[in-house]
């Protein structure tokens, strides 16, 4: 696909160009010759967020102020080669409503696109014997290894696969993953998503993502679908406010990236082109699979911050998102990529919706945009608002009601590396007090 994959496929991309043809009527020529007003020049220099799209409170104004301060409005040199400020967004439930990875897995299960591995245990470093037995029993061994499982009709097989991906448990409630991992760098069921597509080429997975996207965008808001016996959202929508924000940032001279804990081919399909949000492959970071010599996805993932190729030790997840941003965008090498960088080597704007986004969004120097999904560690940081730059917004479609009680910031909201839950601390070591949900 491109050289950042190990043994990557070379995916041919067709270049398209839009040629504007103008007629040369005298009136048009006279109009073109008219000097541009100061106001029109200022508009070009200071791209504006749409006033027709609804944001919570003064959030639009706060984001606009950041764009003006960091973009071409205050820094016209950005149009002439100056170093661009960077904006980075999570994808699922941040730029789009609902999880496009789940949408793609659901489509694959409904269309018999998961290939049976030789051994389910080999798909993940952390898979338990219980999960291996459950998958083997549910999916059987009559289908030859490497051939499609009949998950469209085999409800038990589809259920086990989806339950393990969704909750990290078997249908009987046993743990699907066990062992030791850094809980701020990975989570096994996230790493398992590209691993269950092992044996397919990147192009094949992209084609599944496109078909799933077409179905999800056509389905009405609120629609559901059934996978095995699971009922899950059956629709997805691009948030128009986020489309507009990304478009405005790019016009204002920002480099805009997607940083997702999903499978990279899926994220690229949704992010790219006019039908997405215009973010190309180069600017899309997600879980990167190692490919075999025939260009097929393997159960191995690329690493970050000095962590080598592994079965998911260092994916874009919590602190892992910081690592991938530092490594891929700012060129920070080795273990240093795990650490917060100096001001000029950090993103200006970060946007997310969940605890998996808390570190990289917190690293932003201009604005920390949070879509409220009641995720404790993230909302503790957002409501504490230590630097006054946290911008909290309800989800633009089907926002959640106000959370009852408070977020347990002072006791158990922090996701510790060993998997325990501890207090959320400020940089000076003080404890963030419990926070009440106020933006919903």
């Amino acid at each position: 696909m491109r050289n950042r994959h190990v043994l990557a496929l070379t995916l041919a991309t067709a270049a398209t160009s839009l040629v504007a043809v103008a007629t040369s009527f005298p009136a048009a020529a006279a109009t073109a010759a008219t000097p541009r007003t100061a106001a029109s020049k200022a508009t070009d220099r200071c791209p504006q967020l749409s006033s027709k799209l609804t944001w919570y409170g003064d959030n639009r104004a706060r984001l606009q102020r950041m764009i003006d301060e960091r973009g071409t409005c205050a820094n016209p040199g950005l149009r002439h080669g100056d170093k661009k400020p960077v904006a980075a967004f999570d994808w699922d439930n941040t730029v789009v409503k609902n999880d496009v990875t789940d949408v793609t897995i659901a489509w694959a299960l409904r269309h018999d696109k998961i290939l049976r591995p030789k051994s389910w245990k080999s798909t993940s470093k952390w898979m338990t014997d219980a999960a291996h037995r459950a998958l083997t029993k549910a999916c059987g061994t009559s289908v030859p290894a490497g051939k499609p499982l009949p998950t469209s009709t085999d409800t038990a097989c589809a259920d086990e696969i989806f339950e393990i991906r969704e909750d990290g448990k078997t249908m009987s409630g046993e743990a699907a993953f066990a062992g030791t991992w850094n809980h701020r760098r990975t989570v096994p069921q996230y790493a398992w998503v590209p691993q269950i597509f092992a044996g397919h080429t990147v192009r094949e997975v992209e084609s599944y993502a496109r078909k799933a996207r077409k179905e999800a965008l056509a389905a009405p808001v609120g629609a559901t679908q059934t996978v095995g016996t699971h009922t899950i959202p059956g629709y997805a929508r691009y948030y128009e406010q986020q489309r507009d924000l990304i478009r405005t940032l790019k016009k204002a001279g920002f480099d805009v990236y997607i940083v997702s804990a999903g499978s990279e081919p899926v994220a690229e399909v949704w992010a790219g082109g006019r039908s997405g949000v215009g973010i190309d492959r180069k600017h899309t970071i997600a879980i990167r699979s190692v490919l075999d010599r025939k260009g097929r996805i393997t159960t191995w993932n690329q690493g970050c911050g000095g962590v080598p190729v592994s079965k998911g030790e260092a994916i874009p997840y919590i602190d892992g998102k910081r690592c991938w941003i530092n490594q891929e965008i700012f060129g920070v090498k080795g273990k240093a990529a795990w650490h917060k960088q100096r001001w000029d080597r950090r993103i200006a704007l970060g946007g997310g919706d969940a605890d998996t986004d808390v570190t990289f969004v917190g690293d932003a120097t201009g604005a920390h945009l949070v879509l409220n999904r009641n995720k404790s560690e993230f909302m503790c940081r957002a409501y504490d608002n230590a630097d006054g730059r946290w911008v909290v917004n309800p989800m633009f479609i089907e926002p959640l009601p106000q959370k009852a009680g408070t977020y347990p910031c002072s006791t158990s909201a922090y996701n510790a590396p060993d998997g325990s839950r501890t207090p959320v601390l400020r940089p000076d070591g003080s404890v963030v007090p419990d926070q009440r949900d106020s933006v919903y």
Side-chain angles (χ1 to χ4, degrees), residues 28 37 69 84 91 100 115 128 135 150 167 183 191 229 232 243 255 272 283 293 295 307 341 354 374:
T37 66
E69 290 172 352
K84 293 184 175 183
W91 187 257
V100 304
L115 307 179
T128 61
L135 286 163
D167 292 325
H183 290 249
T229 60
I232 65 171
R243 277 188 194 269
D255 255 345
H283 290 79
R293 292 181 180 179
V307 177
Q341 301 298 302
N374 289 344

Side-chain angles (χ1 to χ4, degrees), residues 10-37:
T10 302
L11 297 180
T13 57
T16 60
S17 61
L18 299 175
V19 179
V21 179
T23 55
S24 56
F25 291 108
T31 300
T34 302
R36 300 181 66 201
T37 66

Side-chain angles (χ1 to χ4, degrees), residues 61-260:
R62 295 178 65 196
L63 292 169
Q64 185 66 58
R65 185 162 57 249
M66 189 282 302
I67 293 170
D68 292 346
E69 290 172 352
R70 301 298 179 88
T72 51
C73 187
N75 305 282
L78 292 176
R79 297 195 185 280
H80 307 288
D82 284 3
K83 184 179 178 181
K84 293 184 175 183
V86 174
F89 293 84
D90 168 58
W91 187 257
D92 298 306
N93 282 303
T94 295
V95 181
V96 295
K97 173 69 174 182
N98 290 326
D99 191 308
V100 304
T101 297
D102 282 349
V103 165
T104 306
I105 293 172
W107 188 94
L109 290 169
R110 288 190 290 105
H111 292 83
D112 299 341
K113 297 302 183 182
I114 303 300
L115 307 179
R116 186 175 83 83
K118 290 182 180 179
S119 165
W120 287 102
K121 192 75 178 283
S122 69
T123 60
S124 171
K125 172 181 178 179
W126 300 285
M127 181 166 284
T128 61
D129 290 339
H132 170 73
R133 287 193 299 268
L135 286 163
T136 302
K137 179 180 178 180
C139 300
T141 56
S142 60
V143 173
K147 298 297 182 181
L149 291 164
T151 49
S152 61
T153 55
D154 189 341
T155 299
C157 183
D159 266 342
E160 287 293 352
I161 292 172
F162 201 83
E163 184 75 4
I164 289 171
R165 179 292 188 270
E166 191 71 9
D167 292 325
K169 296 180 180 179
T170 67
M171 287 294 290
S172 63
E174 295 182 276
F177 304 102
T180 302
W181 61 86
N182 186 315
H183 290 249
R184 294 189 72 82
R185 296 184 177 189
T186 192
V187 59
Q189 59 260 41
Y190 282 31
W192 197 56
V193 171
Q195 291 165 339
I196 63 175
F197 282 110
H200 287 295
T201 65
V202 171
R203 284 183 176 179
E204 287 171 340
V205 175
E206 288 175 337
S207 74
Y208 307 155
R210 289 190 188 95
K211 292 170 183 175
R213 180 177 68 169
K214 184 177 180 180
E215 285 187 3
L217 293 177
V221 171
T224 60
Q225 62 177 315
T226 301
V227 180
T229 60
H230 291 77
T231 300
I232 65 171
Y235 80 97
R237 289 292 187 277
Y238 291 92
Y239 286 137
E240 289 305 317
Q241 288 88 343
Q242 299 289 53
R243 277 188 194 269
D244 181 57
L245 175 55
I246 289 170
R247 181 168 51 244
T248 304
L249 286 164
K250 293 173 77 172
K251 285 182 179 179
F254 286 71
D255 255 345
V256 184
Y257 286 80
I258 296 300
V259 186
S260 169

Side-chain angles (χ1 to χ4, degrees), residues 257-279:
Y257 286 80
I258 296 300
V259 186
S260 169
S263 175
E264 192 161 80
V266 175
E268 288 174 342
V269 164
W270 281 82
R274 289 187 172 185
S275 58
V277 293
I279 296 180

